[in-house]
Amino acid sequence: MAAESSPLDGLRALVRELDAGSRALAHYPQVPMLEEVRREWSELRSELQVRRSLRTEAPADGGPLNSAVLVQRMLDTMQATSPGYLRHFIDYVDTLSWLQALQDGAASVADTAKPKRTRKPRKAD
């Protein structure tokens, strides 16, 4: 059962293909529009992350020092004070999260690597 692809999935695939092609071949023509698409995609993703973050409600019974309450209060204050800074902050946290997942993936691959086999000493006859 194949999932239906959305127009957004098609755009992602196109950007990946164009980017891979331009990096793989030295003589491949650079596509000036690609950087603009990347920038637009980044802004769209940031806006989505900001909306998702602001839509989340803090727990009602969390108390004043509950981390979820403090984070929600910080996001609300940032949105009211400087929406542009909030977008940059969300991008930064998103990048850090992505890097952490990448590092965790590399660590799990290293952990599952086959350990070196050691030889057992031969018995003297």
Side-chain angles (χ1 to χ4, degrees):
M1 207 183 323
E4 288 186 30
S5 63
S6 71
L8 193 54
D9 292 335
L11 178 62
R12 287 179 188 150
L14 176 64
V15 169
R16 275 194 305 270
E17 288 172 11
L18 289 173
D19 192 33
S22 65
R23 288 187 181 152
L25 303 172
H27 64 279
Y28 192 83
Q30 295 297 317
V31 182
M33 190 179 148
L34 187 58
E35 192 58 40
E36 184 179 333
V37 170
R38 281 188 188 133
R39 188 173 44 255
E40 290 292 327
W41 174 249
S42 176
E43 288 176 16
L44 180 65
R45 180 163 167 69
S46 295
E47 189 64 33
L48 178 66
Q49 291 286 63
V50 167
R51 286 182 187 174
R52 189 178 300 147
S53 298
L54 293 174
R55 199 176 21 208
T56 305
E57 292 187 26
D61 59 348
L65 296 179
N66 181 291
S67 61
V69 171
L70 292 174
V71 168
Q72 190 62 41
R73 192 179 313 153
M74 178 208 52
L75 292 174
D76 290 339
T77 303
M78 285 173 121
Q79 177 66 24
T81 306
S82 178
Y85 181 78
L86 177 59
R87 281 188 205 92
H88 286 290
F89 179 77
I90 295 289
D91 284 344
Y92 178 72
V93 171
D94 190 40
T95 301
L96 288 177
S97 173
W98 181 81
L99 288 172
Q100 181 66 43
L102 186 65
Q103 183 180 12
D104 290 347
S108 68
V109 168
D111 290 345
T112 59
K114 229 179 179 179
K116 288 186 178 180
R117 291 179 15 171
T118 57
R119 290 186 173 191
K120 292 182 182 178
R122 291 187 177 189
K123 294 182 182 179
D125 289 328

